[in-house]
Amino acid sequence: MHLVHDPAAPPAEAIAFDDFLKIDIRAGRIIRAEPFPEARKPSLKLTIDFGEGVGVKRSSAQIAELYAAEALEGRMVAAVVNFPPRQIGRFMSEVLTLGFPDAEGRVVLFAPDSDVPPGARLF
């Protein structure tokens, strides 16, 4: 699967609503962020609390160009919580933290603009 970062690109192929419902996107609160110098692209290791239903999960996020690890604790983010875990070097990334590319291609985190309960599902 190739991700499109071009804002002028047409929409992806149409999917059924039931396909969308298979993707479980939840809000979570970052409880720890650490540098990930071994990653190929500037990344941070995130520990995110998604509340009682999902629990605490870890994610490798290519966000180190715009975000300092020490500034992320307590911040809300959105992540796909039902992809299989993915090994990234020696780190097991359990969820996909979501973001959008800015004009320079750096990842800007996607999050609710108001506080929501950890584990709230996107619909």
Side-chain angles (χ1 to χ4, degrees):
M1 176 178 174
H2 178 67
L3 297 177
V4 177
H5 296 293
D6 178 4
E13 179 182 328
I15 62 171
F17 187 71
D18 286 344
D19 291 332
F20 169 73
L21 292 176
K22 293 177 185 176
I23 303 168
D24 193 350
I25 300 172
R26 305 282 184 112
R29 187 174 308 283
I30 297 173
I31 57 175
R32 185 170 52 249
E34 309 165 69
F36 191 6
E38 308 90 345
R40 286 183 291 180
K41 294 185 178 182
S43 301
L44 297 173
K45 297 178 196 176
L46 305 178
T47 303
I48 306 167
D49 181 6
F50 292 98
E52 187 177 333
V54 176
V56 174
K57 302 290 183 181
R58 299 186 76 202
S59 179
S60 170
Q62 296 176 354
I63 59 172
E65 288 182 291
L66 292 179
Y67 300 94
E70 57 275 4
L72 290 173
E73 188 173 318
R75 183 185 176 116
M76 296 296 295
V77 293
V80 177
V81 299
N82 65 331
F83 283 150
R86 185 171 178 189
Q87 189 76 41
I88 301 175
R90 294 183 186 177
F91 184 78
M92 182 63 72
S93 188
E94 301 171 295
V95 299
L96 175 65
T97 304
L98 300 175
F100 293 100
D102 68 8
E104 285 80 43
R106 301 171 299 190
V107 178
V108 176
L109 289 170
F110 177 64
D113 63 358
S114 294
D115 218 22
V116 298
R121 187 169 178 176
L122 180 76
F123 62 88

PDB file of all heavy atoms in Angstrom, residues 13-44:
ATOM      1  N   GLU A  13      -9.809   4.893  -3.737  1.00  0.00           N
ATOM      2  CA  GLU A  13     -10.936   4.090  -4.226  1.00  0.00           C
ATOM      3  C   GLU A  13     -12.044   4.036  -3.180  1.00  0.00           C
ATOM      4  O   GLU A  13     -11.775   3.944  -1.974  1.00  0.00           O
ATOM      5  CB  GLU A  13     -10.417   2.677  -4.518  1.00  0.00           C
ATOM      6  CG  GLU A  13     -11.449   1.714  -5.000  1.00  0.00           C
ATOM      7  CD  GLU A  13     -10.847   0.323  -5.206  1.00  0.00           C
ATOM      8  OE1 GLU A  13      -9.653   0.220  -5.554  1.00  0.00           O
ATOM      9  OE2 GLU A  13     -11.597  -0.652  -5.026  1.00  0.00           O
ATOM     10  N   ALA A  14     -13.283   4.096  -3.613  1.00  0.00           N
ATOM     11  CA  ALA A  14     -14.432   4.048  -2.705  1.00  0.00           C
ATOM     12  C   ALA A  14     -14.466   2.718  -1.956  1.00  0.00           C
ATOM     13  O   ALA A  14     -14.123   1.675  -2.507  1.00  0.00           O
ATOM     14  CB  ALA A  14     -15.727   4.246  -3.486  1.00  0.00           C
ATOM     15  N   ILE A  15     -14.876   2.784  -0.694  1.00  0.00           N
ATOM     16  CA  ILE A  15     -15.043   1.585   0.125  1.00  0.00           C
ATOM     17  C   ILE A  15     -16.458   1.584   0.704  1.00  0.00           C
ATOM     18  O   ILE A  15     -17.114   2.622   0.767  1.00  0.00           O
ATOM     19  CB  ILE A  15     -14.007   1.509   1.269  1.00  0.00           C
ATOM     20  CG1 ILE A  15     -14.168   2.693   2.241  1.00  0.00           C
ATOM     21  CG2 ILE A  15     -12.587   1.429   0.723  1.00  0.00           C
ATOM     22  CD1 ILE A  15     -13.337   2.586   3.512  1.00  0.00           C
ATOM     23  N   ALA A  16     -16.883   0.426   1.143  1.00  0.00           N
ATOM     24  CA  ALA A  16     -18.181   0.309   1.794  1.00  0.00           C
ATOM     25  C   ALA A  16     -18.076   0.826   3.226  1.00  0.00           C
ATOM     26  O   ALA A  16     -17.002   0.773   3.845  1.00  0.00           O
ATOM     27  CB  ALA A  16     -18.629  -1.151   1.796  1.00  0.00           C
ATOM     28  N   PHE A  17     -19.180   1.323   3.765  1.00  0.00           N
ATOM     29  CA  PHE A  17     -19.195   1.822   5.139  1.00  0.00           C
ATOM     30  C   PHE A  17     -18.760   0.733   6.111  1.00  0.00           C
ATOM     31  O   PHE A  17     -18.052   1.006   7.083  1.00  0.00           O
ATOM     32  CB  PHE A  17     -20.582   2.359   5.501  1.00  0.00           C
ATOM     33  CG  PHE A  17     -20.613   3.036   6.834  1.00  0.00           C
ATOM     34  CD1 PHE A  17     -19.994   4.268   7.027  1.00  0.00           C
ATOM     35  CD2 PHE A  17     -21.242   2.427   7.913  1.00  0.00           C
ATOM     36  CE1 PHE A  17     -20.008   4.892   8.266  1.00  0.00           C
ATOM     37  CE2 PHE A  17     -21.261   3.049   9.154  1.00  0.00           C
ATOM     38  CZ  PHE A  17     -20.643   4.280   9.332  1.00  0.00           C
ATOM     39  N   ASP A  18     -19.132  -0.508   5.850  1.00  0.00           N
ATOM     40  CA  ASP A  18     -18.724  -1.612   6.716  1.00  0.00           C
ATOM     41  C   ASP A  18     -17.207  -1.773   6.750  1.00  0.00           C
ATOM     42  O   ASP A  18     -16.647  -2.171   7.772  1.00  0.00           O
ATOM     43  CB  ASP A  18     -19.382  -2.925   6.283  1.00  0.00           C
ATOM     44  CG  ASP A  18     -20.855  -2.986   6.643  1.00  0.00           C
ATOM     45  OD1 ASP A  18     -21.311  -2.167   7.486  1.00  0.00           O
ATOM     46  OD2 ASP A  18     -21.570  -3.839   6.083  1.00  0.00           O
ATOM     47  N   ASP A  19     -16.531  -1.454   5.631  1.00  0.00           N
ATOM     48  CA  ASP A  19     -15.066  -1.502   5.618  1.00  0.00           C
ATOM     49  C   ASP A  19     -14.495  -0.433   6.545  1.00  0.00           C
ATOM     50  O   ASP A  19     -13.530  -0.672   7.274  1.00  0.00           O
ATOM     51  CB  ASP A  19     -14.525  -1.313   4.201  1.00  0.00           C
ATOM     52  CG  ASP A  19     -14.828  -2.496   3.305  1.00  0.00           C
ATOM     53  OD1 ASP A  19     -14.951  -3.627   3.827  1.00  0.00           O
ATOM     54  OD2 ASP A  19     -14.948  -2.291   2.085  1.00  0.00           O
ATOM     55  N   PHE A  20     -15.069   0.762   6.526  1.00  0.00           N
ATOM     56  CA  PHE A  20     -14.627   1.831   7.419  1.00  0.00           C
ATOM     57  C   PHE A  20     -14.783   1.404   8.877  1.00  0.00           C
ATOM     58  O   PHE A  20     -13.910   1.665   9.705  1.00  0.00           O
ATOM     59  CB  PHE A  20     -15.417   3.123   7.157  1.00  0.00           C
ATOM     60  CG  PHE A  20     -15.201   4.174   8.202  1.00  0.00           C
ATOM     61  CD1 PHE A  20     -14.011   4.871   8.276  1.00  0.00           C
ATOM     62  CD2 PHE A  20     -16.192   4.453   9.128  1.00  0.00           C
ATOM     63  CE1 PHE A  20     -13.807   5.831   9.255  1.00  0.00           C
ATOM     64  CE2 PHE A  20     -16.001   5.409  10.111  1.00  0.00           C
ATOM     65  CZ  PHE A  20     -14.806   6.101  10.169  1.00  0.00           C
ATOM     66  N   LEU A  21     -15.887   0.738   9.187  1.00  0.00           N
ATOM     67  CA  LEU A  21     -16.137   0.324  10.569  1.00  0.00           C
ATOM     68  C   LEU A  21     -15.120  -0.696  11.078  1.00  0.00           C
ATOM     69  O   LEU A  21     -14.959  -0.864  12.286  1.00  0.00           O
ATOM     70  CB  LEU A  21     -17.551  -0.234  10.700  1.00  0.00           C
ATOM     71  CG  LEU A  21     -18.676   0.778  10.515  1.00  0.00           C
ATOM     72  CD1 LEU A  21     -20.032   0.085  10.578  1.00  0.00           C
ATOM     73  CD2 LEU A  21     -18.584   1.906  11.530  1.00  0.00           C
ATOM     74  N   LYS A  22     -14.422  -1.362  10.182  1.00  0.00           N
ATOM     75  CA  LYS A  22     -13.391  -2.320  10.582  1.00  0.00           C
ATOM     76  C   LYS A  22     -12.159  -1.631  11.145  1.00  0.00           C
ATOM     77  O   LYS A  22     -11.384  -2.247  11.874  1.00  0.00           O
ATOM     78  CB  LYS A  22     -12.987  -3.193   9.391  1.00  0.00           C
ATOM     79  CG  LYS A  22     -14.079  -4.119   8.921  1.00  0.00           C
ATOM     80  CD  LYS A  22     -13.632  -4.886   7.689  1.00  0.00           C
ATOM     81  CE  LYS A  22     -14.752  -5.728   7.121  1.00  0.00           C
ATOM     82  NZ  LYS A  22     -14.341  -6.405   5.876  1.00  0.00           N
ATOM     83  N   ILE A  23     -11.955  -0.366  10.788  1.00  0.00           N
ATOM     84  CA  ILE A  23     -10.789   0.376  11.269  1.00  0.00           C
ATOM     85  C   ILE A  23     -11.153   1.006  12.612  1.00  0.00           C
ATOM     86  O   ILE A  23     -12.054   1.827  12.702  1.00  0.00           O
ATOM     87  CB  ILE A  23     -10.365   1.465  10.265  1.00  0.00           C
ATOM     88  CG1 ILE A  23     -10.069   0.842   8.906  1.00  0.00           C
ATOM     89  CG2 ILE A  23      -9.150   2.221  10.797  1.00  0.00           C
ATOM     90  CD1 ILE A  23      -9.920   1.847   7.802  1.00  0.00           C
ATOM     91  N   ASP A  24     -10.449   0.607  13.653  1.00  0.00           N
ATOM     92  CA  ASP A  24     -10.744   1.066  15.010  1.00  0.00           C
ATOM     93  C   ASP A  24      -9.777   2.190  15.380  1.00  0.00           C
ATOM     94  O   ASP A  24      -8.621   1.942  15.736  1.00  0.00           O
ATOM     95  CB  ASP A  24     -10.630  -0.108  15.979  1.00  0.00           C
ATOM     96  CG  ASP A  24     -11.209   0.184  17.348  1.00  0.00           C
ATOM     97  OD1 ASP A  24     -11.541   1.350  17.643  1.00  0.00           O
ATOM     98  OD2 ASP A  24     -11.312  -0.769  18.149  1.00  0.00           O
ATOM     99  N   ILE A  25     -10.260   3.431  15.262  1.00  0.00           N
ATOM    100  CA  ILE A  25      -9.453   4.608  15.577  1.00  0.00           C
ATOM    101  C   ILE A  25      -9.909   5.146  16.922  1.00  0.00           C
ATOM    102  O   ILE A  25     -11.091   5.466  17.102  1.00  0.00           O
ATOM    103  CB  ILE A  25      -9.585   5.687  14.491  1.00  0.00           C
ATOM    104  CG1 ILE A  25      -9.103   5.126  13.143  1.00  0.00           C
ATOM    105  CG2 ILE A  25      -8.797   6.943  14.880  1.00  0.00           C
ATOM    106  CD1 ILE A  25      -9.357   6.032  11.963  1.00  0.00           C
ATOM    107  N   ARG A  26      -8.985   5.226  17.867  1.00  0.00           N
ATOM    108  CA  ARG A  26      -9.299   5.649  19.227  1.00  0.00           C
ATOM    109  C   ARG A  26      -8.459   6.853  19.643  1.00  0.00           C
ATOM    110  O   ARG A  26      -7.344   7.052  19.161  1.00  0.00           O
ATOM    111  CB  ARG A  26      -9.022   4.518  20.220  1.00  0.00           C
ATOM    112  CG  ARG A  26      -9.717   3.212  19.941  1.00  0.00           C
ATOM    113  CD  ARG A  26     -11.171   3.237  20.365  1.00  0.00           C
ATOM    114  NE  ARG A  26     -11.781   1.924  20.172  1.00  0.00           N
ATOM    115  CZ  ARG A  26     -12.170   1.143  21.169  1.00  0.00           C
ATOM    116  NH1 ARG A  26     -12.057   1.525  22.414  1.00  0.00           N
ATOM    117  NH2 ARG A  26     -12.704  -0.035  20.892  1.00  0.00           N
ATOM    118  N   ALA A  27      -9.013   7.606  20.568  1.00  0.00           N
ATOM    119  CA  ALA A  27      -8.274   8.698  21.205  1.00  0.00           C
ATOM    120  C   ALA A  27      -7.488   8.109  22.374  1.00  0.00           C
ATOM    121  O   ALA A  27      -7.969   7.229  23.083  1.00  0.00           O
ATOM    122  CB  ALA A  27      -9.235   9.769  21.696  1.00  0.00           C
ATOM    123  N   GLY A  28      -6.285   8.608  22.551  1.00  0.00           N
ATOM    124  CA  GLY A  28      -5.461   8.177  23.669  1.00  0.00           C
ATOM    125  C   GLY A  28      -4.639   9.335  24.198  1.00  0.00           C
ATOM    126  O   GLY A  28      -4.469  10.348  23.520  1.00  0.00           O
ATOM    127  N   ARG A  29      -4.170   9.174  25.427  1.00  0.00           N
ATOM    128  CA  ARG A  29      -3.340  10.214  26.047  1.00  0.00           C
ATOM    129  C   ARG A  29      -1.907   9.698  26.155  1.00  0.00           C
ATOM    130  O   ARG A  29      -1.674   8.600  26.682  1.00  0.00           O
ATOM    131  CB  ARG A  29      -3.880  10.557  27.428  1.00  0.00           C
ATOM    132  CG  ARG A  29      -3.163  11.745  28.064  1.00  0.00           C
ATOM    133  CD  ARG A  29      -3.785  12.189  29.371  1.00  0.00           C
ATOM    134  NE  ARG A  29      -5.217  12.432  29.290  1.00  0.00           N
ATOM    135  CZ  ARG A  29      -5.797  13.513  28.745  1.00  0.00           C
ATOM    136  NH1 ARG A  29      -5.049  14.451  28.198  1.00  0.00           N
ATOM    137  NH2 ARG A  29      -7.111  13.649  28.751  1.00  0.00           N
ATOM    138  N   ILE A  30      -0.976  10.474  25.641  1.00  0.00           N
ATOM    139  CA  ILE A  30       0.445  10.098  25.728  1.00  0.00           C
ATOM    140  C   ILE A  30       0.871  10.178  27.188  1.00  0.00           C
ATOM    141  O   ILE A  30       0.725  11.231  27.823  1.00  0.00           O
ATOM    142  CB  ILE A  30       1.314  11.013  24.850  1.00  0.00           C
ATOM    143  CG1 ILE A  30       0.922  10.858  23.375  1.00  0.00           C
ATOM    144  CG2 ILE A  30       2.804  10.703  25.066  1.00  0.00           C
ATOM    145  CD1 ILE A  30       1.597  11.844  22.446  1.00  0.00           C
ATOM    146  N   ILE A  31       1.382   9.057  27.702  1.00  0.00           N
ATOM    147  CA  ILE A  31       1.864   9.057  29.081  1.00  0.00           C
ATOM    148  C   ILE A  31       3.397   9.040  29.147  1.00  0.00           C
ATOM    149  O   ILE A  31       3.974   9.346  30.193  1.00  0.00           O
ATOM    150  CB  ILE A  31       1.256   7.903  29.901  1.00  0.00           C
ATOM    151  CG1 ILE A  31       1.529   6.542  29.264  1.00  0.00           C
ATOM    152  CG2 ILE A  31      -0.246   8.124  30.083  1.00  0.00           C
ATOM    153  CD1 ILE A  31       1.047   5.351  30.098  1.00  0.00           C
ATOM    154  N   ARG A  32       4.039   8.722  28.021  1.00  0.00           N
ATOM    155  CA  ARG A  32       5.505   8.790  27.961  1.00  0.00           C
ATOM    156  C   ARG A  32       5.927   8.928  26.502  1.00  0.00           C
ATOM    157  O   ARG A  32       5.346   8.309  25.614  1.00  0.00           O
ATOM    158  CB  ARG A  32       6.135   7.539  28.578  1.00  0.00           C
ATOM    159  CG  ARG A  32       7.652   7.612  28.660  1.00  0.00           C
ATOM    160  CD  ARG A  32       8.303   6.506  29.487  1.00  0.00           C
ATOM    161  NE  ARG A  32       7.909   5.159  29.117  1.00  0.00           N
ATOM    162  CZ  ARG A  32       7.163   4.347  29.859  1.00  0.00           C
ATOM    163  NH1 ARG A  32       6.705   4.738  31.027  1.00  0.00           N
ATOM    164  NH2 ARG A  32       6.854   3.126  29.447  1.00  0.00           N
ATOM    165  N   ALA A  33       6.938   9.743  26.272  1.00  0.00           N
ATOM    166  CA  ALA A  33       7.534   9.894  24.935  1.00  0.00           C
ATOM    167  C   ALA A  33       9.042   9.873  25.105  1.00  0.00           C
ATOM    168  O   ALA A  33       9.584  10.528  26.000  1.00  0.00           O
ATOM    169  CB  ALA A  33       7.074  11.197  24.291  1.00  0.00           C
ATOM    170  N   GLU A  34       9.689   9.093  24.249  1.00  0.00           N
ATOM    171  CA  GLU A  34      11.141   8.922  24.342  1.00  0.00           C
ATOM    172  C   GLU A  34      11.761   9.053  22.959  1.00  0.00           C
ATOM    173  O   GLU A  34      11.145   8.663  21.964  1.00  0.00           O
ATOM    174  CB  GLU A  34      11.479   7.529  24.880  1.00  0.00           C
ATOM    175  CG  GLU A  34      10.779   7.131  26.149  1.00  0.00           C
ATOM    176  CD  GLU A  34      10.907   5.633  26.386  1.00  0.00           C
ATOM    177  OE1 GLU A  34      12.032   5.180  26.682  1.00  0.00           O
ATOM    178  OE2 GLU A  34       9.886   4.936  26.259  1.00  0.00           O
ATOM    179  N   PRO A  35      12.991   9.539  22.894  1.00  0.00           N
ATOM    180  CA  PRO A  35      13.691   9.574  21.603  1.00  0.00           C
ATOM    181  C   PRO A  35      13.841   8.157  21.051  1.00  0.00           C
ATOM    182  O   PRO A  35      13.896   7.178  21.794  1.00  0.00           O
ATOM    183  CB  PRO A  35      15.057  10.159  21.954  1.00  0.00           C
ATOM    184  CG  PRO A  35      14.863  10.863  23.256  1.00  0.00           C
ATOM    185  CD  PRO A  35      13.779  10.111  23.986  1.00  0.00           C
ATOM    186  N   PHE A  36      13.892   8.060  19.727  1.00  0.00           N
ATOM    187  CA  PHE A  36      14.075   6.781  19.042  1.00  0.00           C
ATOM    188  C   PHE A  36      15.188   6.982  18.011  1.00  0.00           C
ATOM    189  O   PHE A  36      14.943   6.987  16.806  1.00  0.00           O
ATOM    190  CB  PHE A  36      12.770   6.352  18.396  1.00  0.00           C
ATOM    191  CG  PHE A  36      12.736   4.931  17.868  1.00  0.00           C
ATOM    192  CD1 PHE A  36      13.772   4.030  18.072  1.00  0.00           C
ATOM    193  CD2 PHE A  36      11.633   4.501  17.146  1.00  0.00           C
ATOM    194  CE1 PHE A  36      13.713   2.736  17.583  1.00  0.00           C
ATOM    195  CE2 PHE A  36      11.560   3.213  16.648  1.00  0.00           C
ATOM    196  CZ  PHE A  36      12.601   2.331  16.869  1.00  0.00           C
ATOM    197  N   PRO A  37      16.430   7.154  18.479  1.00  0.00           N
ATOM    198  CA  PRO A  37      17.534   7.477  17.566  1.00  0.00           C
ATOM    199  C   PRO A  37      17.861   6.380  16.559  1.00  0.00           C
ATOM    200  O   PRO A  37      18.446   6.653  15.521  1.00  0.00           O
ATOM    201  CB  PRO A  37      18.720   7.745  18.503  1.00  0.00           C
ATOM    202  CG  PRO A  37      18.377   7.023  19.764  1.00  0.00           C
ATOM    203  CD  PRO A  37      16.867   7.041  19.866  1.00  0.00           C
ATOM    204  N   GLU A  38      17.456   5.133  16.836  1.00  0.00           N
ATOM    205  CA  GLU A  38      17.750   4.024  15.920  1.00  0.00           C
ATOM    206  C   GLU A  38      16.850   4.026  14.689  1.00  0.00           C
ATOM    207  O   GLU A  38      17.134   3.331  13.721  1.00  0.00           O
ATOM    208  CB  GLU A  38      17.580   2.671  16.631  1.00  0.00           C
ATOM    209  CG  GLU A  38      18.328   2.526  17.932  1.00  0.00           C
ATOM    210  CD  GLU A  38      17.497   2.970  19.146  1.00  0.00           C
ATOM    211  OE1 GLU A  38      16.462   3.648  18.985  1.00  0.00           O
ATOM    212  OE2 GLU A  38      17.901   2.635  20.267  1.00  0.00           O
ATOM    213  N   ALA A  39      15.772   4.761  14.723  1.00  0.00           N
ATOM    214  CA  ALA A  39      14.828   4.784  13.593  1.00  0.00           C
ATOM    215  C   ALA A  39      15.463   5.469  12.380  1.00  0.00           C
ATOM    216  O   ALA A  39      16.300   6.365  12.525  1.00  0.00           O
ATOM    217  CB  ALA A  39      13.551   5.516  13.997  1.00  0.00           C
ATOM    218  N   ARG A  40      15.026   5.047  11.188  1.00  0.00           N
ATOM    219  CA  ARG A  40      15.565   5.638   9.955  1.00  0.00           C
ATOM    220  C   ARG A  40      15.137   7.089   9.758  1.00  0.00           C
ATOM    221  O   ARG A  40      15.894   7.899   9.264  1.00  0.00           O
ATOM    222  CB  ARG A  40      15.144   4.815   8.743  1.00  0.00           C
ATOM    223  CG  ARG A  40      15.905   3.506   8.624  1.00  0.00           C
ATOM    224  CD  ARG A  40      15.523   2.767   7.392  1.00  0.00           C
ATOM    225  NE  ARG A  40      14.137   2.304   7.564  1.00  0.00           N
ATOM    226  CZ  ARG A  40      13.475   1.614   6.677  1.00  0.00           C
ATOM    227  NH1 ARG A  40      14.024   1.318   5.535  1.00  0.00           N
ATOM    228  NH2 ARG A  40      12.246   1.213   6.905  1.00  0.00           N
ATOM    229  N   LYS A  41      13.898   7.402  10.121  1.00  0.00           N
ATOM    230  CA  LYS A  41      13.395   8.772  10.030  1.00  0.00           C
ATOM    231  C   LYS A  41      13.244   9.304  11.447  1.00  0.00           C
ATOM    232  O   LYS A  41      13.030   8.528  12.376  1.00  0.00           O
ATOM    233  CB  LYS A  41      12.047   8.806   9.303  1.00  0.00           C
ATOM    234  CG  LYS A  41      12.157   8.411   7.846  1.00  0.00           C
ATOM    235  CD  LYS A  41      10.830   8.581   7.146  1.00  0.00           C
ATOM    236  CE  LYS A  41      10.963   8.220   5.666  1.00  0.00           C
ATOM    237  NZ  LYS A  41       9.714   8.427   4.944  1.00  0.00           N
ATOM    238  N   PRO A  42      13.338  10.627  11.640  1.00  0.00           N
ATOM    239  CA  PRO A  42      13.237  11.188  13.000  1.00  0.00           C
ATOM    240  C   PRO A  42      11.933  10.763  13.690  1.00  0.00           C
ATOM    241  O   PRO A  42      10.850  11.159  13.277  1.00  0.00           O
ATOM    242  CB  PRO A  42      13.279  12.696  12.763  1.00  0.00           C
ATOM    243  CG  PRO A  42      13.970  12.862  11.434  1.00  0.00           C
ATOM    244  CD  PRO A  42      13.563  11.661  10.627  1.00  0.00           C
ATOM    245  N   SER A  43      12.070   9.939  14.710  1.00  0.00           N
ATOM    246  CA  SER A  43      10.910   9.326  15.360  1.00  0.00           C
ATOM    247  C   SER A  43      10.997   9.403  16.872  1.00  0.00           C
ATOM    248  O   SER A  43      12.067   9.623  17.438  1.00  0.00           O
ATOM    249  CB  SER A  43      10.799   7.849  14.956  1.00  0.00           C
ATOM    250  OG  SER A  43      10.670   7.718  13.564  1.00  0.00           O
ATOM    251  N   LEU A  44       9.850   9.177  17.491  1.00  0.00           N
ATOM    252  CA  LEU A  44       9.756   9.075  18.940  1.00  0.00           C
ATOM    253  C   LEU A  44       9.018   7.787  19.279  1.00  0.00           C
ATOM    254  O   LEU A  44       8.154   7.330  18.522  1.00  0.00           O
ATOM    255  CB  LEU A  44       8.993  10.265  19.525  1.00  0.00           C
ATOM    256  CG  LEU A  44       9.623  11.639  19.335  1.00  0.00           C
ATOM    257  CD1 LEU A  44       8.673  12.726  19.825  1.00  0.00           C
ATOM    258  CD2 LEU A  44      10.952  11.726  20.061  1.00  0.00           C
TER     259      LEU A  44
END
